[in-house]
Amino acid sequence: RKEVEQDPGPFNVPEGATVAFNCTYSNSASQSFFWYRQDCRKEPKLLMSVYSSGNEDGRFTAQLNRASQYISLLIRDSKLSDSATYLCVVRNTGGFKTIFGAGTRLFVKA
Amino acid sequence: GAVVSQHPSWVICKSGTSVKIECRSLDFQATTMFWYRQFPKQSLMLMATSNEGSKATYEQGVEKDKFLINHASLTLSTLTVTSAHPEDSSFYICSAQTAGYEQYFGPGTRLTVT
C-alpha cells in the first residue's frame, strides 16, 4: 500500500461545477498536510495547508480527518484556470520526510 | 509565498559530462532543502534531503556518488549529476522548507543528455 493515495484521475468537469478530491495516508504519526497544484511542465505550488479544524480559501476548502487518516480538497465554482494536477502532501514529525501523492488531474471545460 | 530560484532552467549536455544545478531560497533561510526528479506524466520522486552543514540523506535506489549534493549555506543547495547518461534526462526540481515546514519549489531544471 502506498503511503499516500489519491483518487485516480482524470476528473473532467464543466465550468461552475463543484469537485472534490480525496487523499488517504497510512502513517498515523503524520503531522502536517498540504495540497499543492502543479501545472503541466511546471513546479508544484503550495495551494493550502490542511488543518484539523478545516480551512477555506475562497473557492477552496480543505479538511482533515485524523481518525480516518483522510484529507480532502473541495473546489467550488470551477474555473478553466483550475485545470491542473492536485497533489496531496503528507509530512511526518519534524518535517524530515515528505510524501507526495501521485496527483489527481483535473480538466475544467467550458 | 516564499521564493525559490533554480539555475539553470534547462540544460543540454553530452553523455559522460557533469551538470551542476543550483537551488536558492531568495527571501528566507532554509536548513532543509529537497531534490526531486519527475519523469513525464509521473509524480515527483524524492531523491534526497539536503541539510545545511551536513551530508545529504538519499532515498533508496538513488546513487549518492552519481548525484552529489552540497548544502553549503542556509540559502543554497547544489545538485551535481556526474557522468550523465541519457536515462538521467528528466525534470529536476528542488524545494526549500520554511521553519513552518511548508515547502516552496524552484521552477525546475529540464536536463537533456544526448
Side-chain angles (χ1 to χ4, degrees), chain B residues 4-113:
Chain B
V4 177
S5 70
Q6 216 173 310
H7 178 80
S9 56
W10 60 271
V11 57
I12 301 173
C13 71
K14 291 186 177 181
S15 188
T17 60
S18 295
V19 174
K20 180 187 280 189
I21 303 170
E22 291 187 350
C23 177
R24 293 180 187 273
S25 55
L26 299 184
D27 53 358
F28 67 102
Q29 293 184 331
T31 54
T32 302
M33 292 184 173
F34 302 90
W35 286 96
Y36 296 85
R37 181 165 57 182
Q38 187 174 36
F39 293 104
K41 298 186 179 181
Q42 293 188 25
S43 60
L44 288 166
M45 185 191 81
L46 178 65
M47 299 176 66
T49 301
S50 170
N51 295 294
E52 186 267 337
S54 64
K55 290 183 179 180
T57 302
Y58 290 82
E59 295 300 300
Q60 191 172 9
V62 178
E63 300 174 57
K64 62 180 182 180
D65 294 331
K66 181 169 180 63
F67 299 99
L68 302 178
I69 292 172
N70 184 19
H71 194 156
S73 76
L74 289 172
T75 60
L76 173 64
S77 177
T78 61
L79 168 68
T80 301
V81 183
T82 62
S83 187
H85 291 284
E87 57 266 31
D88 298 324
S89 298
S90 187
F91 190 45
Y92 291 85
I93 311 175
C94 73
S95 71
Q97 182 170 275
T98 68
Y101 302 126
E102 291 174 341
Q103 282 189 40
Y104 291 90
F105 287 83
T109 297
R110 198 159 298 280
L111 170 65
T112 301
V113 184

Side-chain angles (χ1 to χ4, degrees), chain A residues 55-103:
Chain A
N55 47 306
E56 185 175 312
D57 183 3
R59 297 181 293 109
F60 299 84
T61 301
Q63 293 198 312
L64 166 65
N65 183 322
R66 286 188 182 274
S68 302
Q69 296 179 201
Y70 169 94
I71 306 157
S72 66
L73 176 68
L74 185 75
I75 305 176
R76 292 181 298 278
D77 189 21
S78 299
K79 311 290 184 190
L80 293 176
S81 57
D82 293 334
S83 298
T85 296
Y86 290 83
L87 305 169
C88 172
V89 179
V90 175
R91 198 163 298 149
N92 69 0
T93 305
F96 297 125
K97 184 77 172 182
T98 299
I99 308 295
F100 280 78

